[in-house]
Amino acid sequence: MRGSAIATSLLALALAAAPAVAQPRGDDDSAALVEDGRRALKAGDYGAAGKALDQALALNPRRIEAYVLRAAVFAAKGEPTRGVAIMRKARALAPDNDDVAIALGTQLMLAGEAGEAVPLLEAAAARVPERYEPHALLGHHYADHERWRDAAAALEAYQRTRPATLAAQDDRHALDLAEAYLRTRRAPAALALYDGVVARHPTWMNARLGQAWTLAAIDCARARPALRRLAADPA
C-alpha cells in the first residue's frame, strides 16, 4: 500500500511541474509537446506521454518540466532507475531547482537508493516546508528505520501540506503515523487513527493488528474483544 501512496504523490508532483530557471524564455514546439505529454500522463497513456516528452526534450533539452514529467512516466511504468538517470540530467541543468531536487530524490527512493535520496529530500523539506512530497517519502523512510519521532513529525507535516486531491491516500499514510504515535507513547492518538482506518477498511490486517496492539497498550481488557475478532475472522 505504501508504494501506491508514493507513486500517487510522484504523479501529482509531475502534473504540477512548472517551468524552471534553466528553461530559456520564449515559446517553441516543445511547449506544446510537454502539454501533450502531461495530458497523456494524466490519462494513464504512458506510451503516448513518453513519446511526446522525448520529442519535447529533443527539440529543447533545457525544458526542465519535461524531464520531471518523463521521470514520472518511468516511475509509473516501474522503471525508477531510468527516472534517476533522466533526473540527473535535469539536476546538472538546474542544480538549485526544488522541483528537480524533489523529483530526483523521489526517483532515488523508488529505486532503493535511500542513502542518496534522504539527504536530498531532507534538504528540500527544510528549504520548502510547504511541499508535501519530501515529508511523505521521509516519513515512511523514518518509519522503516524505526526513527519514530522523525516519522511522526514528517507525516504530520505531510498531512498539513498535502493537496486535497490526495485525500484518498490519507489512510495509507496513517498506518505509519499511528505506529509512530504508539512507539512514542501517544497511544490515544494512535488508537484514534487505527479506529478510523479499521472502520473504513475492515480487511486491512495491519490496521486491525495495530488497533489491537494499541488497545493492549492502553488497557488489556479493552484489547480482548479486538483480539477475539481477529481470531474469529483473520482474513
Side-chain angles (χ1 to χ4, degrees):
M1 289 188 295
R2 182 178 303 165
S4 173
I6 292 173
T8 300
S9 296
L10 173 63
L11 184 59
L13 166 64
L15 293 175
V21 294
Q23 180 182 312
R25 293 183 179 276
D27 293 327
D28 57 35
D29 289 342
S30 67
L33 287 164
V34 166
E35 290 311 307
D36 288 345
R38 193 190 304 272
R39 284 192 293 270
L41 177 59
K42 189 173 182 178
D45 189 345
Y46 304 133
K51 182 178 179 180
L53 294 164
D54 286 342
Q55 290 174 341
L57 288 169
L59 284 172
N60 185 347
R62 295 181 66 82
R63 191 168 285 283
I64 297 300
E65 76 273 32
Y67 288 94
V68 177
L69 288 161
R70 190 64 178 94
V73 174
F74 284 133
K77 294 175 66 177
E79 301 174 317
T81 300
R82 298 182 71 183
V84 169
I86 199 167
M87 287 314 305
R88 289 197 192 283
K89 295 179 181 178
R91 182 78 163 167
L93 292 169
D96 299 322
N97 182 270
D98 290 316
D99 283 343
V100 170
I102 292 169
L104 175 56
T106 301
Q107 295 288 340
L108 286 164
M109 194 72 85
L110 291 174
E113 301 292 338
E116 185 178 356
V118 169
L120 195 62
L121 292 168
E122 288 177 336
R127 282 194 310 274
V128 280
E130 69 277 10
R131 295 290 294 268
Y132 69 94
E133 306 94 327
H135 300 311
L137 291 159
L138 290 168
H140 295 304
H141 171 79
Y142 295 148
D144 283 344
H145 291 79
E146 299 185 359
R147 294 173 55 181
W148 298 114
R149 293 192 184 280
D150 291 334
L155 291 168
E156 287 171 344
Y158 169 78
Q159 286 185 329
R160 292 193 301 270
T161 56
R162 66 112 176 98
T165 53
L166 291 182
Q169 296 294 323
D170 282 357
D171 285 344
R172 302 182 186 277
H173 298 290
L175 293 176
D176 273 353
L177 180 56
E179 185 169 1
Y181 283 155
L182 180 59
R183 299 279 192 159
T184 54
R185 300 183 179 182
R186 288 179 277 179
L191 183 59
L193 286 177
Y194 280 129
D195 283 348
V197 175
V198 169
R200 290 182 291 273
H201 309 281
T203 62
W204 286 15
M205 181 55 66
N206 46 358
R208 294 173 65 194
L209 287 169
Q211 181 189 51
W213 187 13
T214 304
L215 283 166
I218 296 172
D219 182 349
C220 288
R222 291 179 62 187
R224 292 191 187 106
L227 292 170
R228 283 195 293 269
R229 287 192 296 271
L230 281 171
D233 181 19

